[in-house]
Short mmCIF file of all heavy atoms in Angstrom, two decimals:
data_model
loop_
_atom_site.label_atom_id
_atom_site.label_comp_id
_atom_site.label_asym_id
_atom_site.label_seq_id
_atom_site.Cartn_x
_atom_site.Cartn_y
_atom_site.Cartn_z
N GLY A 1 204.85 220.16 -84.44
CA GLY A 1 203.97 221.22 -84.90
C GLY A 1 202.82 221.48 -83.96
O GLY A 1 202.78 220.98 -82.84
N PRO A 2 201.85 222.27 -84.41
CA PRO A 2 200.71 222.58 -83.56
C PRO A 2 199.82 221.36 -83.37
O PRO A 2 199.91 220.39 -84.13
CB PRO A 2 199.97 223.67 -84.34
CG PRO A 2 200.33 223.42 -85.76
CD PRO A 2 201.73 222.87 -85.74
N GLY A 3 199.00 221.41 -82.38
CA GLY A 3 198.10 220.30 -82.11
C GLY A 3 198.34 219.74 -80.73
O GLY A 3 199.32 220.09 -80.06
N PRO A 4 197.47 218.86 -80.30
CA PRO A 4 197.61 218.28 -78.96
C PRO A 4 198.84 217.39 -78.86
O PRO A 4 199.38 216.94 -79.86
CB PRO A 4 196.32 217.48 -78.78
CG PRO A 4 195.86 217.18 -80.17
CD PRO A 4 196.31 218.34 -81.02
N THR A 5 199.26 217.15 -77.63
CA THR A 5 200.39 216.27 -77.37
C THR A 5 199.86 214.94 -76.86
O THR A 5 199.10 214.90 -75.89
CB THR A 5 201.32 216.90 -76.32
OG1 THR A 5 201.78 218.15 -76.79
CG2 THR A 5 202.51 216.00 -76.03
N ALA A 6 200.26 213.86 -77.50
CA ALA A 6 199.86 212.52 -77.07
C ALA A 6 200.80 212.05 -75.97
O ALA A 6 201.93 212.50 -75.87
CB ALA A 6 199.91 211.55 -78.25
N CYS A 7 200.32 211.13 -75.15
CA CYS A 7 201.16 210.47 -74.16
C CYS A 7 201.22 209.00 -74.51
O CYS A 7 200.20 208.35 -74.67
CB CYS A 7 200.59 210.65 -72.75
SG CYS A 7 201.57 209.80 -71.49
N SER A 8 202.43 208.48 -74.65
CA SER A 8 202.65 207.08 -74.96
C SER A 8 203.34 206.43 -73.77
O SER A 8 204.39 206.89 -73.32
CB SER A 8 203.51 206.97 -76.22
OG SER A 8 203.84 205.62 -76.47
N ILE A 9 202.74 205.35 -73.25
CA ILE A 9 203.33 204.63 -72.12
C ILE A 9 203.81 203.28 -72.64
O ILE A 9 203.03 202.49 -73.14
CB ILE A 9 202.31 204.43 -70.99
CG1 ILE A 9 201.77 205.79 -70.53
CG2 ILE A 9 202.94 203.67 -69.83
CD1 ILE A 9 200.62 205.70 -69.58
N GLY A 10 205.12 203.05 -72.53
CA GLY A 10 205.70 201.82 -73.03
C GLY A 10 206.27 200.96 -71.92
O GLY A 10 206.39 201.39 -70.78
N CYS A 11 206.60 199.73 -72.24
CA CYS A 11 207.24 198.82 -71.28
C CYS A 11 208.74 198.78 -71.47
O CYS A 11 209.47 198.48 -70.54
CB CYS A 11 206.68 197.41 -71.45
SG CYS A 11 205.06 197.23 -70.73
N ASN A 12 209.22 199.06 -72.66
CA ASN A 12 210.64 198.96 -72.94
C ASN A 12 211.11 200.31 -73.48
O ASN A 12 210.64 200.78 -74.50
CB ASN A 12 210.90 197.85 -73.97
CG ASN A 12 212.36 197.67 -74.25
OD1 ASN A 12 213.20 198.25 -73.58
ND2 ASN A 12 212.66 196.87 -75.23
N ALA A 13 212.04 200.89 -72.78
CA ALA A 13 212.48 202.24 -73.16
C ALA A 13 213.25 202.29 -74.46
O ALA A 13 213.50 203.36 -74.99
CB ALA A 13 213.34 202.82 -72.04
N SER A 14 213.62 201.18 -75.03
CA SER A 14 214.47 201.08 -76.21
C SER A 14 215.72 201.92 -76.00
O SER A 14 216.13 202.16 -74.88
CB SER A 14 213.71 201.42 -77.49
OG SER A 14 213.54 202.80 -77.64
N ASP A 15 216.32 202.41 -77.08
CA ASP A 15 217.56 203.17 -76.88
C ASP A 15 217.55 204.51 -77.59
O ASP A 15 218.60 205.09 -77.82
CB ASP A 15 218.78 202.34 -77.27
CG ASP A 15 218.71 201.82 -78.69
OD1 ASP A 15 217.75 202.15 -79.40
OD2 ASP A 15 219.61 201.07 -79.10
N ALA A 16 216.39 205.05 -77.88
CA ALA A 16 216.30 206.40 -78.44
C ALA A 16 216.63 207.40 -77.33
O ALA A 16 216.48 207.11 -76.15
CB ALA A 16 214.91 206.66 -78.99
N ASP A 17 217.09 208.58 -77.73
CA ASP A 17 217.41 209.61 -76.74
C ASP A 17 217.06 210.98 -77.30
O ASP A 17 216.26 211.09 -78.22
CB ASP A 17 218.88 209.51 -76.30
CG ASP A 17 219.86 209.68 -77.46
OD1 ASP A 17 219.51 210.30 -78.49
OD2 ASP A 17 221.00 209.18 -77.32
N ALA A 18 217.65 212.03 -76.76
CA ALA A 18 217.32 213.39 -77.19
C ALA A 18 217.86 213.72 -78.57
O ALA A 18 217.44 214.71 -79.17
CB ALA A 18 217.87 214.39 -76.17
N PHE A 19 218.75 212.90 -79.11
CA PHE A 19 219.37 213.20 -80.39
C PHE A 19 219.10 212.16 -81.47
O PHE A 19 219.28 212.43 -82.64
CB PHE A 19 220.90 213.34 -80.22
CG PHE A 19 221.26 214.33 -79.16
CD1 PHE A 19 221.68 213.89 -77.91
CD2 PHE A 19 221.16 215.69 -79.38
CE1 PHE A 19 222.00 214.79 -76.91
CE2 PHE A 19 221.47 216.60 -78.39
CZ PHE A 19 221.89 216.15 -77.14
N ARG A 20 218.72 210.96 -81.06
CA ARG A 20 218.62 209.84 -81.99
C ARG A 20 217.28 209.14 -81.83
O ARG A 20 216.81 208.88 -80.73
CB ARG A 20 219.75 208.86 -81.69
CG ARG A 20 219.91 207.74 -82.65
CD ARG A 20 221.15 206.90 -82.32
NE ARG A 20 221.38 206.68 -80.91
CZ ARG A 20 220.74 205.77 -80.17
NH1 ARG A 20 219.85 205.00 -80.70
NH2 ARG A 20 221.03 205.65 -78.89
N ASP A 21 216.67 208.82 -82.97
CA ASP A 21 215.43 208.06 -82.99
C ASP A 21 215.76 206.60 -83.28
O ASP A 21 216.80 206.28 -83.84
CB ASP A 21 214.48 208.59 -84.07
CG ASP A 21 214.01 210.01 -83.79
OD1 ASP A 21 213.74 210.31 -82.61
OD2 ASP A 21 213.92 210.81 -84.73
N ASP A 22 214.86 205.71 -82.91
CA ASP A 22 214.99 204.30 -83.24
C ASP A 22 213.73 203.90 -84.03
O ASP A 22 212.86 204.74 -84.27
CB ASP A 22 215.19 203.45 -81.99
CG ASP A 22 214.02 203.52 -81.02
OD1 ASP A 22 212.98 204.11 -81.35
OD2 ASP A 22 214.14 202.97 -79.92
N PRO A 23 213.61 202.66 -84.50
CA PRO A 23 212.44 202.29 -85.31
C PRO A 23 211.10 202.54 -84.61
O PRO A 23 210.14 202.99 -85.24
CB PRO A 23 212.66 200.81 -85.59
CG PRO A 23 214.15 200.64 -85.59
CD PRO A 23 214.62 201.57 -84.49
N THR A 24 211.04 202.29 -83.30
CA THR A 24 209.78 202.52 -82.58
C THR A 24 209.45 204.00 -82.55
O THR A 24 208.30 204.40 -82.76
CB THR A 24 209.88 201.96 -81.14
OG1 THR A 24 210.16 200.57 -81.21
CG2 THR A 24 208.58 202.19 -80.38
N THR A 25 210.44 204.83 -82.28
CA THR A 25 210.22 206.28 -82.24
C THR A 25 209.74 206.79 -83.60
O THR A 25 208.80 207.58 -83.67
CB THR A 25 211.52 207.00 -81.84
OG1 THR A 25 211.99 206.45 -80.62
CG2 THR A 25 211.31 208.48 -81.68
N LEU A 26 210.36 206.33 -84.66
CA LEU A 26 209.95 206.76 -86.00
C LEU A 26 208.52 206.32 -86.31
O LEU A 26 207.73 207.07 -86.90
CB LEU A 26 210.92 206.22 -87.05
CG LEU A 26 212.35 206.76 -86.95
CD1 LEU A 26 213.26 206.02 -87.90
CD2 LEU A 26 212.38 208.26 -87.19
N TRP A 27 208.16 205.10 -85.88
CA TRP A 27 206.80 204.61 -86.09
C TRP A 27 205.82 205.48 -85.31
O TRP A 27 204.77 205.85 -85.82
CB TRP A 27 206.70 203.15 -85.63
CG TRP A 27 205.31 202.61 -85.75
CD1 TRP A 27 204.74 202.08 -86.86
CD2 TRP A 27 204.31 202.59 -84.73
NE1 TRP A 27 203.45 201.71 -86.59
CE2 TRP A 27 203.16 202.02 -85.29
CE3 TRP A 27 204.28 203.00 -83.40
CZ2 TRP A 27 201.99 201.85 -84.55
CZ3 TRP A 27 203.12 202.83 -82.68
CH2 TRP A 27 201.99 202.26 -83.25
N GLN A 28 206.16 205.83 -84.04
CA GLN A 28 205.27 206.65 -83.23
C GLN A 28 205.10 208.04 -83.82
O GLN A 28 203.99 208.58 -83.83
CB GLN A 28 205.79 206.75 -81.79
CG GLN A 28 205.63 205.45 -81.03
CD GLN A 28 206.24 205.52 -79.66
OE1 GLN A 28 207.40 205.91 -79.51
NE2 GLN A 28 205.47 205.15 -78.66
N ILE A 29 206.16 208.62 -84.32
CA ILE A 29 206.06 209.95 -84.96
C ILE A 29 205.08 209.89 -86.12
O ILE A 29 204.18 210.72 -86.22
CB ILE A 29 207.45 210.44 -85.42
CG1 ILE A 29 208.33 210.77 -84.21
CG2 ILE A 29 207.32 211.65 -86.34
CD1 ILE A 29 209.80 210.98 -84.55
N ASP A 30 205.23 208.91 -87.00
CA ASP A 30 204.33 208.78 -88.15
C ASP A 30 202.89 208.55 -87.70
O ASP A 30 201.96 209.16 -88.24
CB ASP A 30 204.77 207.63 -89.05
CG ASP A 30 206.02 207.94 -89.84
OD1 ASP A 30 206.38 209.14 -89.95
OD2 ASP A 30 206.65 207.00 -90.34
N LYS A 31 202.70 207.68 -86.71
CA LYS A 31 201.35 207.36 -86.25
C LYS A 31 200.67 208.56 -85.62
O LYS A 31 199.54 208.91 -85.96
CB LYS A 31 201.42 206.20 -85.25
CG LYS A 31 200.09 205.69 -84.82
CD LYS A 31 199.40 205.01 -85.98
CE LYS A 31 198.21 204.22 -85.50
NZ LYS A 31 197.51 203.60 -86.61
N PHE A 32 201.35 209.23 -84.67
CA PHE A 32 200.74 210.37 -84.00
C PHE A 32 200.52 211.54 -84.95
O PHE A 32 199.53 212.26 -84.86
CB PHE A 32 201.55 210.79 -82.78
CG PHE A 32 201.46 209.81 -81.64
CD1 PHE A 32 202.60 209.34 -81.03
CD2 PHE A 32 200.24 209.34 -81.19
CE1 PHE A 32 202.53 208.42 -79.98
CE2 PHE A 32 200.14 208.44 -80.15
CZ PHE A 32 201.29 207.98 -79.54
N ARG A 33 201.44 211.76 -85.87
CA ARG A 33 201.27 212.82 -86.87
C ARG A 33 200.04 212.55 -87.73
O ARG A 33 199.23 213.45 -87.98
CB ARG A 33 202.52 212.94 -87.75
CG ARG A 33 202.42 214.08 -88.76
CD ARG A 33 203.66 214.17 -89.61
NE ARG A 33 204.69 214.87 -88.87
CZ ARG A 33 205.99 214.62 -88.96
NH1 ARG A 33 206.43 213.66 -89.74
NH2 ARG A 33 206.86 215.31 -88.28
N SER A 34 199.86 211.28 -88.15
CA SER A 34 198.70 210.95 -89.00
C SER A 34 197.38 211.09 -88.24
O SER A 34 196.33 211.27 -88.85
CB SER A 34 198.84 209.53 -89.56
OG SER A 34 198.63 208.56 -88.55
N LEU A 35 197.43 211.02 -86.91
CA LEU A 35 196.22 211.18 -86.10
C LEU A 35 195.96 212.63 -85.71
O LEU A 35 195.02 212.92 -84.98
CB LEU A 35 196.33 210.31 -84.84
CG LEU A 35 196.30 208.80 -85.08
CD1 LEU A 35 196.63 208.04 -83.80
CD2 LEU A 35 194.95 208.37 -85.64
N GLY A 36 196.81 213.55 -86.17
CA GLY A 36 196.58 214.98 -85.93
C GLY A 36 197.28 215.55 -84.71
O GLY A 36 197.03 216.70 -84.35
N PHE A 37 198.15 214.78 -84.09
CA PHE A 37 198.88 215.30 -82.93
C PHE A 37 200.06 216.14 -83.39
O PHE A 37 200.59 215.94 -84.47
CB PHE A 37 199.39 214.15 -82.05
CG PHE A 37 198.29 213.45 -81.30
CD1 PHE A 37 197.71 212.30 -81.82
CD2 PHE A 37 197.84 213.94 -80.09
CE1 PHE A 37 196.70 211.65 -81.13
CE2 PHE A 37 196.82 213.30 -79.40
CZ PHE A 37 196.25 212.15 -79.92
N GLY A 38 200.48 217.07 -82.53
CA GLY A 38 201.64 217.91 -82.82
C GLY A 38 202.89 217.42 -82.14
O GLY A 38 203.95 218.03 -82.26
N GLY A 39 202.78 216.33 -81.41
CA GLY A 39 203.93 215.76 -80.72
C GLY A 39 203.48 214.71 -79.74
O GLY A 39 202.29 214.43 -79.60
#
């Protein structure tokens, strides 16, 4: 959605991709959304 875009720098790329989320990705979506980011 609208709002600023956060940048997340990680050490382990995990295995999420353009079509599938993993637990870390889902956690990041919830966290950044709750902080007012749009992505």
Side-chain angles (χ1 to χ4, degrees):
T5 301
C7 178
S8 174
I9 302 171
C11 283
N12 183 8
S14 77
D15 55 4
D17 59 24
F19 306 103
R20 187 175 40 80
D21 295 320
D22 62 7
T24 301
T25 306
L26 296 172
W27 177 85
Q28 288 176 309
I29 291 168
D30 288 343
K31 186 68 167 178
F32 289 130
R33 183 180 279 146
S34 72
L35 293 171
F37 289 95

